[in-house]
């Protein structure tokens, strides 16, 4: 009397027939390979999350550097410096004559 293959699998009958005994090495290798691939995928996803976080931080730092550079450029203009000198009450005046070159 031959059993249905599904019933054979569910009852564990295929384990008795030597299939597992003949292919135990292959089964172990496949299980180890599956564990390795799952571990590798998890590690890769963690690295990708870290890369995304670092790229966001880099973008924030670039924006901050651009903002600071813009503020520095604005505050180093001649009109802004003259305004700050007047506010502080420092007795300085701008040059009345343009600069000239000295030649040998």
């Amino acid at each position: 009397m031959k059993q249905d293959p599904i019933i054979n699998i569910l009852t564990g009958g295929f384990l008795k027939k030597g299939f597992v005994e003949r292919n135990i090495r292959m089964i172990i290798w496949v299980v180890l390979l599956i564990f390795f691939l799952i571990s590798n995928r998890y590690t890769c996803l963690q690295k990708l999350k870290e890369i995304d976080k670092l790229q966001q931080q880099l973008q924030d730092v670039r924006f901050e550097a651009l903002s600071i550079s813009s503020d520095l450029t604005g505050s180093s203009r001649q009109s802004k410096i003259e305004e700050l000198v007047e506010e502080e009450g420092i007795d300085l005046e701008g040059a009345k004559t343009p600069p000239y070159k000295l030649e040998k």
Side-chain angles (χ1 to χ4, degrees):
M1 175 167 99
K2 191 167 181 170
Q3 287 186 343
D4 189 26
I6 296 175
I7 294 175
N8 190 21
I9 292 172
L10 292 176
T11 60
F14 74 97
L15 295 173
K16 297 177 187 173
K17 297 196 178 180
F19 172 78
V20 175
E21 292 173 359
R22 287 190 314 266
N23 297 314
I24 190 72
R25 289 183 184 166
M26 181 61 75
I27 293 171
I28 290 173
W29 277 110
V30 168
V31 169
L32 289 175
L33 182 63
I34 289 172
F35 283 141
F36 174 74
L37 291 175
I38 290 171
S39 171
N40 191 28
R41 179 172 170 82
Y42 178 75
T43 303
C44 182
L45 288 174
Q46 293 299 322
K47 298 275 185 194
L48 286 173
K49 284 181 183 179
E50 185 178 349
I51 288 171
D52 287 341
K53 186 176 95 174
L54 290 174
Q55 283 179 339
Q56 182 63 38
Q57 286 179 352
L58 178 62
Q59 187 177 6
D60 292 345
V61 168
R62 282 183 178 165
F63 177 74
E64 185 178 350
L66 184 62
S67 176
I68 291 172
S69 175
S70 174
D71 290 342
L72 180 61
T73 302
S75 65
S76 65
R77 290 194 176 125
Q78 184 176 357
S79 60
K80 182 70 173 177
I81 292 174
E82 288 174 356
E83 181 181 312
L84 288 173
V85 167
E86 285 180 20
E87 285 178 6
E88 293 295 322
I90 301 173
D91 189 26
L92 289 177
E93 292 182 10
K96 304 287 186 215
T97 60
Y100 56 92
K101 281 182 153 182
L102 296 177
E103 295 183 20
K104 281 187 174 184

